């Protein structure tokens, strides 16, 4: 399996939002994204408090930010290597 590029990552997220939007009857992507994030935060709290896998929502958001920035940088570097002019 090849490493996904940022367009692939965005498409996976779009498919996830489409599924969740249908599941909850959301009106638009912005609202649906907020609802999904809130539900994920509820899940993290519930799992942690019930003795399940400890999930740190805020750490996941920080980690996502680092991954996002690194993936943008990687894509920029890959494009520069393809077009050295």
């Amino acid at each position: 399996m090849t490493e996904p590029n940022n367009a692939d990552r965005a498409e996976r997220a779009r498919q996830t939002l489409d599924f969740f939007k249908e599941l909850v009857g959301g009106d638009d992507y912005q609202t649906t994204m907020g609802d999904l994030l809130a539900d994920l935060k509820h899940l993290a709290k519930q799992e942690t408090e019930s003795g399940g896998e400890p999930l740190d929502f805020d750490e996941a958001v920080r980690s996502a930010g680092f991954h996002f920035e690194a993936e943008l940088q990687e894509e920029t570097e890959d494009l520069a290597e393809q077009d050295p002019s």
Side-chain angles (χ1 to χ4, degrees):
M1 182 172 158
T2 62
E3 181 73 20
N5 62 30
N6 292 339
D8 297 331
R9 293 177 179 105
E11 181 56 29
R12 288 189 312 212
R14 181 182 310 282
Q15 289 175 14
T16 300
L17 280 179
D18 284 339
F19 175 80
F20 194 75
K21 185 177 169 195
E22 185 175 319
L23 185 68
V24 299
D27 294 325
D28 57 70
Y29 280 132
Q30 187 67 47
T31 301
T32 301
M33 186 167 47
D35 290 343
L36 176 58
L37 290 169
D39 284 5
L40 288 169
K41 194 163 190 170
H42 285 296
L43 173 64
K45 183 179 186 296
Q46 180 180 1
E47 284 294 305
T48 300
E49 290 178 352
S50 70
E53 181 179 351
L55 300 173
D56 185 334
F57 180 83
D58 295 326
E59 177 56 32
V61 170
R62 278 189 292 278
S63 178
F66 290 128
H67 284 273
F68 175 77
E69 293 299 329
E71 290 160 357
L72 286 181
Q73 182 65 32
E74 181 180 286
E75 187 172 73
T76 300
E77 290 169 1
D78 288 348
L79 290 173
E81 287 176 9
Q82 291 173 10
D83 183 22
S85 56

